[in-house]
Amino acid sequence: MPHPLEQLRDDALREIESAGDEQALEAARVKYLGRSGSVSAWGEQMKTLAKEEKPIVGKLLNEVRSAVTAAIDICVQQFRSQKESGALAKIDISLPGATGPTGYSGYSGHSPPLTGYSGYLPLERGSLHPLTQMLERSIEIFRRMGFALADGPDVEDEWHCFDALNTPPEHPARNEQDTFYLPDGRLLRTHTSTVQIRAMQAAQPPLRVIAPGAAYRRDEVDATHSAQFHQIEGLYVDENVSVADLKGALEFFMRELFGANTKVQFRPHYFPFTEPSLEIYVKSKALKRGEQWVEVCGCGMVHPAVFESVNKARGDKAYDPEKWTGYAFGLGMDRLAMILFDIPDIRLFAQDDLRFLRQFA
Ligand code: DAH
């Protein structure tokens, strides 16, 4: 003979299972678990039981209560998800979007509602920021040349930003006037060249990486300077890498970006972390700037001292400057986008003015 409590449990479960709607389920819940429900009544009855019986019946009662509670919870969930999928099934996702009864999407200031139109307007489609477009185009070209993506933090230490890049303490770039320092001595990286070091610390040569990202300088903000700007760093380390490789890769990049007739010029320059160092200028009739040389990139052959810093940090000789050579470059993304899209002022990138941004949609 099953214990009456077990009988009660079986009845309850059967009733819950056959509940056809939320109302029937609620009725079952009250009947069994409600304050004067039958499971609760057993709780009262416990008091009258003999001492030896109490623990056995008590345990059984707990089991029955949790079985009934769990069954109700599951049913509630089922009803809820049935309701939701029923509601979703009525939505036609192929209908055009609506913005609300005013017919206005909320972009105040720039696109007033069509005159005389008081119904629903379709939602406006977003588009990528011109800098993002520029970045994606550039990354795509480098990927075709076999470069992998690397990255590093915007908040850096002095070693990765300067020391490891052969930039001594007395160098002007390390001055507080030029660099944003944090109270704890760290800084906002002044260039993405930091990722050269991080990539070499993390992997053995040969290495071929690009690192897109933001850089920060305490420049006076004007039409061509912004406290935050964007670069793509590049690093290629292998045996017998030469300036000819550097020249070939970057000329290819510039012509893919600005057109086949782009003229590319390499001029001698100085960077602490490359020797020799060069700057790249481009000129193209296809560009609005026409016949004017514009500087777009710093580059050069990786300085042996940079390899030595990396070796020291790694504690090995993986980047032996006698064996490995490499080229590195840093492309100014904002500058490239300004040239390509004929944008007169770098500040436009950060002003979120839709009249500006819509031109690149
Ligand atoms: N880090 C330099 C800058 O921000 C640009 C640069 C020059 C990067 C030469 C390089 C390089 O990797 O080899 O002005």
Side-chain angles (χ1 to χ4, degrees):
M1 265 277 283
H3 189 277
L5 259 174
E6 292 173 303
Q7 185 62 49
L8 178 66
R9 178 195 59 202
D10 295 345
D11 293 345
L13 294 183
R14 207 172 309 119
E15 208 166 315
I16 290 164
E17 208 177 307
S18 60
D21 54 27
E22 278 171 295
Q23 250 170 344
L25 188 65
E26 177 59 12
R29 193 189 65 77
V30 172
K31 179 169 168 193
Y32 293 100
L33 299 178
R35 206 176 305 162
S36 37
S38 26
V39 175
S40 317
W42 266 91
E44 284 300 307
Q45 222 167 304
M46 286 283 291
K47 294 178 195 149
T48 65
L49 293 180
K51 213 171 155 208
E52 327 69 77
E53 259 191 303
K54 271 189 188 166
I56 304 161
V57 178
K59 187 162 170 266
L60 190 58
L61 179 61
N62 279 339
E63 283 168 8
V64 170
R65 193 183 285 118
S66 13
V68 174
T69 309
I72 290 178
D73 285 349
I74 289 172
C75 264
V76 167
Q77 282 303 335
Q78 276 168 354
F79 283 132
R80 202 170 289 161
S81 61
Q82 270 166 22
K83 221 189 204 167
E84 278 168 12
S85 44
L88 284 176
K90 286 189 211 115
I91 296 174
D92 179 356
I93 56 165
S94 65
L95 286 174
T99 56
T102 59
Y104 188 46
S105 66
Y107 284 152
S108 53
H110 303 309
S111 68
L114 299 175
T115 24
Y117 187 81
S118 61
Y120 285 79
L121 276 181
L123 277 178
E124 290 191 64
R125 262 178 86 165
S127 64
L128 293 178
H129 190 278
L131 271 177
T132 308
Q133 293 182 25
M134 186 69 220
L135 205 65
E136 290 195 348
R137 276 200 207 188
S138 308
I139 291 173
E140 188 266 325
I141 299 170
F142 283 118
R143 294 206 74 123
R144 272 194 272 145
M145 286 192 265
F147 283 84
L149 278 167
D151 76 2
D154 290 25
V155 175
E156 261 295 2
D157 51 57
E158 283 201 279
W159 187 79
H160 282 95
C161 200
F162 301 124
D163 302 272
L165 288 160
N166 196 33
T167 309
E170 62 281 1
H171 195 280
R174 299 183 69 147
N175 198 307
E176 285 200 21
Q177 242 103 61
D178 297 320
T179 302
F180 291 106
Y181 281 91
L182 275 71
D184 65 6
R186 287 181 303 162
L187 47 79
L188 296 183
R189 65 180 179 193
T190 57
H191 51 186
T192 47
S193 302
T194 53
V195 189
Q196 289 185 33
I197 305 300
R198 289 188 175 273
M200 287 191 279
Q201 280 182 278
Q204 302 269 353
L207 197 67
R208 201 199 304 247
V209 292
I210 49 166
Y216 309 83
R217 283 183 208 167
R218 296 185 64 156
D219 278 330
E220 200 71 57
V221 174
D222 61 22
T224 52
H225 295 87
S226 165
Q228 181 189 351
F229 53 100
H230 304 83
Q231 297 185 320
I232 291 186
E233 192 72 21
L235 174 69
Y236 175 36
V237 182
D238 206 335
E239 290 177 69
N240 303 315
V241 177
S242 71
V243 175
D245 297 310
L246 164 67
K247 206 163 168 273
L250 287 166
E251 275 175 356
F252 175 78
F253 173 80
M254 297 303 168
R255 298 206 167 110
E256 284 296 293
L257 197 64
F258 294 123
N261 294 323
T262 306
K263 296 203 179 73
V264 185
Q265 205 175 62
F266 290 76
R267 301 188 192 172
H269 198 75
Y270 172 78
F271 296 105
F273 34 91
T274 42
E275 179 56 38
S277 301
L278 302 155
E279 268 187 340
I280 302 178
Y281 286 72
V282 293
K283 175 165 99 165
S284 167
K285 283 212 179 85
L287 298 171
K288 294 258 167 52
R289 295 182 191 222
E291 293 296 278
Q292 193 186 334
W293 288 107
V294 255
E295 188 261 308
V296 287
C297 180
C299 58
M301 302 304 292
V302 180
H303 198 293
V306 173
F307 286 144
E308 292 295 9
S309 310
V310 170
N311 286 336
K312 211 155 150 201
R314 291 177 57 100
D316 62 17
K317 237 349 192 159
Y319 286 85
D320 182 354
E322 296 297 323
K323 177 164 187 221
W324 303 98
T325 45
Y327 66 69
F329 58 86
L331 283 158
M333 279 294 105
D334 308 72
R335 179 73 70 86
L336 287 180
M338 286 170 77
I339 299 168
L340 192 63
F341 300 133
D342 196 33
I343 296 167
D345 193 321
I346 195 171
R347 288 168 289 197
L348 286 162
F349 289 134
Q351 283 166 347
D352 287 349
D353 187 333
L354 289 166
R355 289 169 303 184
F356 169 70
L357 296 172
R358 283 215 175 93
Q359 298 175 53
F360 308 96

